[in-house]
Amino acid sequence: MRLSEFWRLMDDEFGAGYSRVLAGNLVLADLGGRTPLEALGGGESPKAVWAAVCLKQDVPPERRLGRDIPPKP
């Protein structure tokens, strides 16, 4: 997963404004007590950070891959 995909998933799930607040304030025990921004800055994979956010925020499994985006013609 690329960092851009991480932010797309965050924005889709939590909204563009709140996703940034959440990334800077949500403490994730699964990632050593760091926030998502700290974990990403420390070299943690975006996929691992997204998984930890999903667990902490109780994102249902059916929404963890994000919304369907239709292909461009």
Side-chain angles (χ1 to χ4, degrees):
M1 172 186 292
R2 293 180 176 189
L3 189 56
S4 60
E5 177 71 4
F6 169 81
W7 286 115
R8 186 186 67 78
L9 291 169
M10 287 286 288
D11 290 350
D12 285 352
E13 185 61 32
F14 303 110
Y18 185 61
S19 67
R20 301 312 192 259
V21 172
L22 198 63
N25 293 299
L26 181 68
V27 176
L28 300 167
D30 291 351
L31 298 176
R34 296 177 291 174
T35 67
L37 286 178
E38 291 169 337
L40 290 167
E44 195 70 51
S45 77
K47 184 176 182 177
V49 176
W50 173 244
V53 169
C54 287
L55 287 175
K56 179 80 173 183
Q57 294 300 108
D58 295 322
V59 175
E62 62 272 12
R63 291 202 321 247
R64 292 183 183 185
L65 296 178
R67 61 182 169 85
D68 288 336
I69 299 173
K72 294 181 181 180

